[in-house]
Amino acid sequence: MTPLADLPVWAALLTGFFLILGSALTLLGSVGLLRFRSFYERIHAPTLGTTWGTGGVLIASIIFHSVLQSKPVLHEILIALFVTVTTPVSLMLLARAALYRDRSEGNDGVPPFEVAAESQDKQRRSSGA
Amino acid sequence: MSALLPYPLLTASLLVMWILLNGLSIGQVILGGVIALAASLAMAALQPAKPKIRRWDMIPQLVLTVLADILRSNIAVAGIILQGGQHTRTSGFVMIPLELRDRTGLAVLACIITSTPGTAWVEYHAGSGRLRIHVLDLIDQQAWIDLIKQRYERRLMEIFE
């Protein structure tokens, strides 16, 4: 007998739903990574996997283990927390590196760094006048 | 707080993490408490800037808003991917002038913007407080500026500043 036989139907349905939701979103994120054309578009796709993709699988895991062990199993929350906190670090590194390279190579479609200073000057001039 | 508890929030979080990982029992609470205390004293040696949270009551509301927004943009981005190449869509950079200066607030904002599919934090200019984000489905620049400022920045300023 597998432990699955002890699982009530409602819990099995909920677990299945969240598991499929999470894995479907992660799969879609990976498809997006493949399909999008530019680097800056591509960095959006994997966030599907790191947010509700991970979230769905974790919720399924919480329901499954909590029902089987008849006590709340919540350490999955820690995974969600650490994924959320660490994703921006790698994403910012990648995005800034790409921006730096595109600017040094003079590629199209990338805003220049000086825009910040320029528009500030403009603002200062208009407020002074 | 006192020299014994330099970072009460960090100590409490470490203890909660220990209990979540090891189960709730008296022995684990004591062991986790000792480890949390030792770790936060070690942290004190690094002297990080201590975040001040002024409005605890606003945090649950912000968390719920963000979770709902993330779910909504998950669906939106999944839709964009499913539509594939047939749909014409423009992505682009948006510059947002931020008034938020608190470091912890900015870190939380970075987590929110990054975690929301469809928006990505690209660069932040600390001198002028200008943030540049990349938006996957860009229709109206001003709408994005208003969204970030009204929805997140205002609340983060109330919580942290």
Side-chain angles (χ1 to χ4, degrees):
Chain A
M1 285 287 273
T2 59
L4 277 172
D6 301 331
L7 201 68
V9 174
W10 64 268
L13 284 176
L14 271 180
T15 305
F17 171 75
F18 280 111
L19 206 54
I20 290 170
L21 177 79
S23 38
L25 281 173
T26 311
L27 179 66
L28 273 179
S30 314
V31 172
L33 187 68
L34 208 65
R35 270 200 178 174
F36 285 151
R37 283 174 298 272
S38 78
F39 174 82
Y40 302 102
E41 287 185 0
R42 276 192 203 110
I43 54 178
H44 293 290
T47 33
L48 286 178
T50 58
T51 53
W52 275 89
T54 315
V57 176
L58 293 179
I59 291 172
S61 168
I62 289 176
I63 295 171
F64 182 79
H65 290 288
S66 297
V67 170
L68 269 193
Q69 298 178 25
S70 311
K71 63 170 187 180
V73 177
L74 296 173
H75 58 247
E76 284 89 349
I77 293 174
L78 291 174
I79 300 179
L81 195 73
F82 286 123
V83 167
T84 312
V85 172
T86 50
T87 311
V89 179
S90 49
L91 186 130
M92 270 184 221
L93 273 174
L94 287 172
R96 298 200 67 160
L99 207 58
Y100 179 79
R101 191 191 63 190
D102 281 343
R103 276 172 183 159
S104 348
E105 289 178 353
N107 293 341
D108 292 336
V110 182
F113 186 68
E114 286 76 23
V115 167
E118 266 172 38
S119 49
Q120 209 181 19
D121 281 348
K122 238 180 264 167
Q123 223 172 24
R124 220 176 280 146
R125 250 175 268 141
S126 60
S127 63
Chain B
M1 210 164 276
S2 63
L4 190 64
L5 262 180
Y7 297 96
L9 195 60
L10 176 71
T11 314
S13 323
L14 284 172
L15 181 59
V16 169
M17 184 177 138
W18 186 270
I19 291 170
L20 278 178
L21 285 173
N22 293 301
L24 186 60
S25 70
I26 298 169
Q28 293 294 357
V29 171
I30 294 171
L31 184 58
V34 170
I35 289 172
L37 210 62
S40 54
L41 285 175
M43 184 77 173
L46 299 172
Q47 298 180 322
K50 197 172 170 178
K52 287 190 185 62
I53 300 180
R54 290 199 307 121
R55 295 280 306 271
W56 285 93
D57 54 314
M58 290 190 64
I59 294 178
Q61 193 203 359
L62 180 68
V63 170
L64 286 181
T65 314
V66 170
L67 279 181
D69 287 353
I70 291 177
L71 184 60
R72 204 171 323 129
S73 20
N74 260 293
I75 296 167
V77 173
I80 291 175
I81 293 170
L82 283 177
Q83 278 170 349
Q86 305 123 16
H87 185 63
T88 48
R89 161 184 59 78
T90 47
S91 61
F93 295 92
V94 181
M95 169 104 88
I96 300 170
L98 288 182
E99 287 148 55
L100 181 71
R101 285 293 186 277
D102 183 84
R103 285 179 171 209
T104 320
L106 285 169
V108 175
L109 186 65
C111 286
I112 295 175
I113 292 180
T114 313
S115 308
T116 314
T119 54
W121 177 293
V122 176
E123 61 177 356
Y124 174 67
H125 196 270
S128 57
R130 273 154 202 277
L131 164 71
R132 187 173 273 125
I133 62 170
H134 187 265
V135 178
L136 183 60
D137 193 5
L138 184 63
I139 298 165
D140 183 4
Q141 293 222 2
Q142 192 58 42
W144 280 101
I145 296 176
D146 292 341
L147 180 87
I148 303 279
K149 288 190 79 73
Q150 301 292 326
R151 222 170 157 80
Y152 308 126
E153 191 197 11
R154 194 172 45 79
R155 288 181 191 169
L156 285 171
M157 283 174 79
E158 280 181 54
I159 293 173
F160 288 108
E161 289 188 349

